[in-house]
Amino acid sequence: MTRPPRPVNAAQMGMEPEIANLSFEEALKELESVVRRLESGEAPLDESIELYAKGDALRAHCQARRDSAQARIEAIVADRDGKAQGVRPFDEAAG
């Protein structure tokens, strides 16, 4: 009787880039992959725990990248005639 293979995480395989270096799109794609693996129910318990932790880190990274992008959005400032006069930071547009 053969033993099932031990779970190997992506970091052990040398395929895991640092999450902090991922673009929003790369992190989202990786997060979707993690979710699919978890939802499949095929991952052993230890791997599932590692995947959950990785997914949580990817989610936090995506949220931070999204928040950063939103903060850089600028609102167009119009003059009395409705013509574009300039721009101001997103945070000032709400107030």
Side-chain angles (χ1 to χ4, degrees), residues 8-74:
V8 178
N9 65 33
Q12 291 171 324
M13 294 171 38
M15 295 171 50
E16 171 73 1
E18 279 295 318
I19 289 175
N21 295 331
L22 294 176
S23 69
F24 175 84
E25 293 78 9
E26 291 167 332
L28 185 58
K29 184 176 180 180
E30 185 68 23
L31 178 57
E32 290 169 346
S33 174
V34 166
V35 169
R36 276 193 302 276
R37 178 79 172 136
L38 286 170
E39 287 180 342
S40 75
E42 296 175 3
L45 179 61
D46 289 340
E47 182 183 355
S48 293
I49 293 168
E50 289 177 21
L51 286 169
Y52 184 86
K54 180 180 177 182
D56 189 51
L58 287 163
R59 180 211 49 81
H61 178 71
C62 287
Q63 182 67 44
R65 297 290 290 222
R66 183 193 156 289
D67 291 346
S68 175
Q70 184 174 359
R72 292 191 313 256
I73 295 171
E74 295 180 322

